Amino acid sequence: MKHSLPLAALLLASSFVPAVPALAAETGSEMIQPVEAADASELLAPIPPAVQKSMDRLFALQPELKKLHIVTSGTSERDGKFFVHLSNRLPEAEREQRGESSAYLEFDGKTGELLSFNLQLLEWASEKNPSRQLAFEAAERFLTQWFGAENRQQFGEPRLSGGSGSAIHHEDGTKTEWSERHVDFPLMLNGLPILYEGPQLGIDAFGHVVSYTYRPVDLDKVSAPKPDTAKSVEEIKQKIATADSLELNYVEAQPEKYSSHPYSEQKTKPVLKYDFLGYTYLHPENGKPIDILSGEEWRKDRDSSVSKKEITLNPQGQSLIVRSEEEAKQTLAKLFGVEQFISQLRRSEHFMTEEENSPYQSYNFETEDPRITLHAMVEKKTGRVQSASWSMYTEKEQEANATMATKEQALDTALAFLEKYAGPTAKHIQWTDFIWKELEPPAWVDKSKLSPEMMASGPNEYWFSFYELHEGIPVQDRSYSVTVDKRTGKVSGFSFAAPRDELNLPDAQNIVTKEQALKTFLKNKPLKLQYIWPRYMDQRAPSPILIYAWGHSEEYGYVDALTGQYVTVPMEWDEE
């Protein structure tokens, strides 16, 4: 279910608050009534006049909101935003009702400016998505109505940026689904878009605007580099045009198109392809990679990086098979060394159920004290455990006193585990080593506003990623991952490709050169001058920086290593 972050924590409490009509009448100014209830003052705060003015405007554009009543309202202590939760839930209901509709609104507590909303209305439920044209038309109409025709010009042309969905699973096994496509409108500066700044709207299959988010900025107070300081696109492309920008990969089952439904049937074929590895953001004068947190040039000695190493295994191909919930519990507890808690493990209700057409069955268990969770995804047809993980909650004091395993020790553990369960085609693998450097806040960050949680050290696990090699070339969809707990030095999770006796992949003898493939990429990948605004946690840099970035595309593209042709793989949406 979709929730605005400041509101989610209040949903349970709001179940016990008397319902208050969102509108006093359907006539006149349709003012939203401030709530005055002595027994609910903490959860129903009076709505500030500036916020109420914005709510009146929003209700005029979204009249369905008039059918709901206010359940929760208040000011976030963390950032001063004012939020409102509305629902058609009955006051006496202690849990989510079937047929419930809800809305979550967020405003600037001082100016009353609308910052975001999420609508989840029963009558708008649909797993379908809108067409591209409908999404653009609906988003454009709302944006123009909200900002006015003149102020609409501060934003650029719309673009699709994916989508999202949510579902409520009912006790009778049925579910209610919602789906939306996202349309972004970039904020413009000096005639160029500022990446990831500007309104994002979610549009459903019927053309309703079901979500909106925008954090306004005053560009009159911003000083940013002018576009004429940048080198030309061709000059930058010449500087970055090196064979190191490409990587040769196999894919055992490359789809002809991607679907918004992960388990739908797709036509696939084995391919040998070049992928472009060019850095996403480039300096506009020298083409060097940019660290968008600091706005400075990327440096290997300071920033995180990736290295790759070939490893030889003697795979034993042992199977992890479970056919029932009880067998899953026993197998997972034994695998992760928590057999002593088997009697305490019970089915967890905190995980979503799998899709009906999913080839996998999920099993989830937990205990109350100590807090232990076990999770597994199992192939329905074979019972093979495709992935599994476990975790145990520990107090921070215990973590601080724990003896940590080294990365080298953890890698040995991960490889021993992989060797035990990997199939016969995993004799030669490539380890992708992500070298994470401690993230130092940029100079412009106000460290006094960073909470201890924000400054906390990295995860309590080492994560290792591997690809099978075929003729010395990585096979992208033959991947393995293993996580090792730093505190115990034991395997805490894994995800393995399905075992194969052999791979049927194209021969790599007669392929186009990297130099030829690079020319093809640069012809088909537009490089565009844009701005980006560095952010760190919830803080924004004083001003945006000028960069070159690869143009947005709704398709994935690669160069076929056998033909030298540029191949695009579109995303197929299940459109209404």
Side-chain angles (χ1 to χ4, degrees):
M1 189 170 177
K2 301 178 289 185
H3 298 303
S4 300
L5 182 60
L7 300 169
L10 296 174
L11 296 185
L12 180 61
S14 68
S15 302
F16 306 100
V17 179
V20 178
L23 295 173
E26 294 291 326
T27 60
S29 62
E30 297 183 330
M31 296 290 282
I32 300 168
Q33 298 301 300
V35 177
E36 295 181 5
D39 59 341
S41 59
E42 292 184 5
L43 293 174
L44 287 167
I47 298 173
V51 171
Q52 184 164 327
K53 184 177 180 180
S54 291
M55 289 182 71
D56 289 340
R57 290 187 59 214
L58 181 61
F59 274 55
L61 293 179
Q62 302 277 44
E64 291 77 12
L65 288 169
K66 301 173 186 177
K67 302 174 184 177
L68 309 180
H69 46 252
I70 300 172
V71 210
T72 307
S73 62
T75 301
S76 168
E77 294 182 359
R78 186 175 67 88
D79 51 24
K81 295 172 185 173
F82 192 87
F83 53 84
V84 180
H85 165 215
L86 303 103
S87 174
N88 64 352
R89 180 189 299 180
L90 297 175
E92 64 272 15
E94 296 186 4
R95 57 183 300 177
E96 193 163 32
Q97 298 169 285
R98 186 159 191 157
E100 180 179 349
S101 294
S102 59
Y104 305 92
L105 319 178
E106 188 178 64
F107 304 86
D108 185 297
K110 294 181 179 179
T111 68
E113 198 155 10
L114 175 66
L115 301 179
S116 69
F117 67 74
N118 261 300
L119 311 182
Q120 191 163 279
L121 307 182
L122 180 65
E123 57 266 37
W124 292 357
S126 173
E127 75 280 5
K128 299 284 187 179
N129 286 288
S131 67
R132 175 192 178 94
Q133 180 178 351
L134 178 59
F136 279 165
E137 289 176 352
E140 183 69 54
R141 182 168 54 252
F142 181 90
L143 199 70
T144 302
Q145 290 174 331
W146 187 255
F147 286 96
E150 183 176 350
N151 287 331
R152 156 66 182 91
Q153 301 310 311
Q154 65 185 302
F155 308 114
E157 293 300 310
R159 74 174 197 179
L160 292 174
S161 60
S164 62
S166 60
I168 295 177
H169 293 258
H170 306 295
E171 292 180 354
D172 61 2
T174 62
K175 62 181 176 179
T176 305
E177 294 183 84
W178 292 265
S179 188
E180 63 188 77
R181 292 183 81 172
H182 296 154
V183 181
D184 291 350
F185 292 84
L187 184 63
M188 303 296 288
L189 176 63
N190 297 325
L192 299 177
I194 307 177
L195 288 178
Y196 314 119
E197 297 290 341
Q200 182 184 85
L201 288 78
I203 313 298
D204 73 6
F206 311 108
H208 301 126
V209 180
V210 294
S211 67
Y212 167 92
T213 181
Y214 177 50
R215 300 292 186 267
V217 292
D218 186 357
L219 293 181
D220 292 335
K221 300 179 180 180
V222 168
S223 175
K226 300 295 183 183
D228 58 11
T229 61
K231 299 291 185 183
S232 70
V233 170
E234 291 307 316
E235 286 180 283
I236 296 298
K237 282 188 174 182
Q238 289 295 323
K239 292 178 181 295
I240 65 174
T242 66
D244 292 338
S245 301
L246 298 184
E247 184 176 74
L248 186 64
N249 292 300
Y250 277 112
V251 176
E252 186 183 26
Q254 172 63 52
E256 294 182 0
K257 55 188 175 184
Y258 293 112
S259 171
S260 56
H261 297 285
Y263 302 121
S264 61
E265 290 189 14
Q266 293 285 332
K267 289 184 178 180
T268 64
K269 62 180 181 180
V271 300
L272 179 58
K273 63 190 180 73
Y274 283 108
D275 285 310
F276 187 72
L277 302 178
Y279 287 95
T280 305
Y281 308 111
L282 306 171
H283 194 286
E285 296 179 41
N286 57 33
K288 293 183 178 179
I290 290 287
D291 172 14
I292 60 167
L293 280 180
S294 64
E296 301 173 356
E297 290 181 16
W298 179 86
R299 292 205 331 248
K300 188 174 182 179
D301 63 324
R302 180 194 63 196
D303 301 312
S304 300
S305 59
V306 177
S307 66
K308 297 176 181 180
K309 180 182 178 181
E310 292 188 17
I311 296 173
T312 300
L313 291 181
N314 180 25
Q316 300 169 26
Q318 293 189 28
S319 298
L320 284 170
I321 304 294
V322 299
R323 300 288 187 180
S324 66
E325 184 175 84
E326 182 60 31
E327 192 174 357
K329 182 195 298 185
Q330 297 285 339
T331 300
L332 293 177
K334 182 178 179 180
L335 180 69
F336 293 122
V338 291
E339 300 100 314
Q340 65 271 35
F341 299 108
I342 285 179
S343 62
Q344 302 176 40
L345 287 168
R346 66 177 189 276
R347 182 191 300 174
S348 172
E349 303 297 338
H350 297 294
F351 287 84
M352 298 290 286
T353 58
E354 65 278 352
E355 296 292 325
E356 293 178 7
N357 62 339
S358 168
Y360 299 103
Q361 170 71 48
S362 65
Y363 294 104
N364 308 288
F365 308 97
E366 63 183 356
T367 64
E368 289 186 357
D369 187 26
R371 173 72 175 178
I372 292 176
T373 60
L374 293 171
H375 167 69
M377 291 291 287
V378 178
E379 288 182 348
K380 291 179 180 177
K381 287 185 178 181
T382 65
R384 183 186 71 89
V385 179
Q386 187 267 340
S387 66
S389 63
W390 86 284
S391 64
M392 181 168 66
Y393 173 79
T394 56
E395 299 291 342
K396 290 185 177 181
E397 293 77 8
Q398 292 177 269
E399 292 182 7
N401 296 325
T403 301
M404 298 294 183
T406 66
K407 188 173 184 177
E408 292 73 20
Q409 292 170 331
L411 176 60
D412 289 340
T413 299
L415 290 173
F417 186 85
L418 177 58
E419 195 167 53
K420 183 176 182 179
Y421 295 106
T425 57
K427 293 178 180 178
H428 302 284
I429 60 173
Q430 181 186 81
W431 170 38
T432 304
D433 183 16
F434 297 92
I435 304 168
W436 304 106
K437 300 291 178 67
E438 194 69 32
L439 192 62
E440 188 66 29
W444 50 265
V445 170
D446 184 347
K447 296 182 180 180
S448 67
K449 295 181 179 180
L450 298 177
S451 66
E453 290 77 15
M454 291 179 176
M455 297 298 289
S457 58
N460 289 322
E461 295 175 322
Y462 293 109
W463 181 70
F464 300 100
S465 174
F466 309 94
Y467 289 104
E468 286 186 17
L469 294 173
H470 180 76
E471 298 183 10
I473 301 169
V475 186
Q476 286 185 327
D477 48 356
R478 302 290 304 164
S479 65
Y480 304 81
S481 67
V482 181
T483 55
V484 176
D485 192 298
K486 292 181 180 179
R487 300 159 296 183
T488 65
K490 296 180 179 180
V491 171
S492 56
F494 66 90
S495 178
F496 286 176
R500 297 274 194 276
D501 292 329
E502 60 180 5
L503 301 181
N504 183 20
L505 295 168
D507 185 74
Q509 293 301 313
N510 300 308
I511 62 175
V512 299
T513 64
K514 280 190 173 183
E515 289 73 19
Q516 292 171 311
L518 181 60
K519 290 180 181 179
T520 302
F521 265 116
L522 295 179
K523 285 180 182 178
N524 288 276
K525 287 183 70 67
L527 192 62
K528 295 186 177 182
L529 192 62
Q530 305 175 66
Y531 288 102
I532 194 166
W533 212 314
R535 290 175 180 265
Y536 187 87
M537 304 300 180
D538 57 354
Q539 296 186 45
R540 183 160 34 195
S543 61
I545 59 175
L546 189 64
I547 58 164
Y548 270 109
W550 299 105
H552 171 74
S553 175
E554 295 168 26
E555 301 176 321
Y556 160 66
Y558 65 87
V559 171
D560 189 308
L562 301 178
T563 67
Q565 297 296 311
Y566 189 75
V567 180
T568 58
V569 185
M571 166 63 82
E572 181 185 64
W573 290 85
D574 186 10
E575 298 181 344
E576 182 66 36

